[in-house]
Amino acid sequence: KYGRSMAGRRLSDGATTLLTVFDPLVKIGPAEAAAVAETARTLADLMLPSVLLTVEAGRTEGGNLYLVNETTPAESLKALVRARNGLPPSEALAIAYRIAAVLRAASSVGVCHLDLTSSNIFVDMAGGVPAVRIARYGFSKLLPPYSPTRKADAFHGTAEYMAPEVCSGKAGDASADLYSLGILIYEMIAGKPPF
């Protein structure tokens, strides 16, 4: 959707990262990349271990914009749900509770995710207590919101998880993230999204 992605390691501590070099055809500008980095700085102040942050934004030697994001070895929620054909309600609610706690903390400083999907959430079930990590906070600033009049244009969000107001072209807010969380709870228990 955004361009090419490559895995790597941070030189300072060896932590895994993901470099995303934006495709110039997607028309993401420096202001949009800077907005993602600013979102990461705001979330970093909260010191939330459940958020995978953007750690760098810049330009390649060839002039393309890029972002470097933290990653995790944990599997995506989507992969976990598919492998187990859905989760027991107790596990689904434990995961949902941890996601909701992150959404609440982020929205308290005015940050909404607006593309919460099972592909952007990573879960480590070792030890019986799920450890949740959420990726791509701030990516909603890279592309414009969906517009029914510009269906062919690139937009932020994933249709199966988008709140109705976002699908109608309105800007999303914390309530749109709660809607996505409801879709995720359904997906975790049923094994697939409702729509």
Side-chain angles (χ1 to χ4, degrees):
K1 184 174 189 174
Y2 299 104
R4 298 178 320 238
S5 293
M6 296 161 272
R9 294 202 174 268
R10 193 164 39 203
L11 294 176
S12 63
D13 61 4
T16 58
T17 58
L18 184 70
L19 167 70
T20 302
V21 179
F22 298 126
D23 183 338
L25 298 176
V26 180
K27 297 185 174 116
I28 294 170
E32 289 83 5
V36 175
E38 181 59 33
T39 297
R41 280 190 287 279
T42 300
L43 291 173
D45 290 343
L46 295 176
M47 297 175 22
L48 298 170
S50 296
V51 176
L52 295 167
L53 297 171
T54 297
V55 294
E56 185 178 331
R59 284 193 183 272
T60 65
E61 290 178 5
N64 292 340
L65 290 166
Y66 69 85
L67 291 176
V68 177
N69 295 284
E70 296 175 322
T71 61
T72 176
E75 68 181 327
S76 72
L77 180 58
K78 182 181 260 337
L80 177 66
V81 168
R82 280 190 179 161
R84 296 176 58 191
N85 199 23
L87 305 176
S90 60
E91 285 184 7
L93 291 176
I95 292 168
Y97 176 81
R98 284 160 179 77
I99 295 168
V102 174
L103 294 177
R104 180 178 182 203
S107 69
S108 74
V109 293
V111 176
C112 299
H113 194 287
L114 303 178
D115 190 18
L116 202 59
T117 73
S118 57
S119 297
N120 293 339
I121 298 169
F122 298 88
V123 181
D124 182 355
M125 296 297 287
V129 177
V132 174
R133 307 286 308 270
I134 301 174
R136 295 192 173 206
Y137 253 106
F139 272 51
S140 64
K141 298 179 186 318
L142 294 174
L143 296 171
Y146 173 79
S147 171
T149 60
R150 297 186 322 263
K151 291 180 182 178
D153 293 350
F155 60 91
H156 79 76
T158 305
E160 300 93 84
Y161 301 88
M162 288 170 66
E165 65 272 17
V166 176
C167 288
S168 67
K170 296 179 183 159
D173 59 14
S175 64
D177 282 345
L178 288 178
Y179 177 90
S180 298
L181 178 57
I183 297 292
L184 287 166
I185 293 169
Y186 182 98
E187 179 180 2
M188 285 189 276
I189 295 170
K192 62 180 182 176
F195 309 112

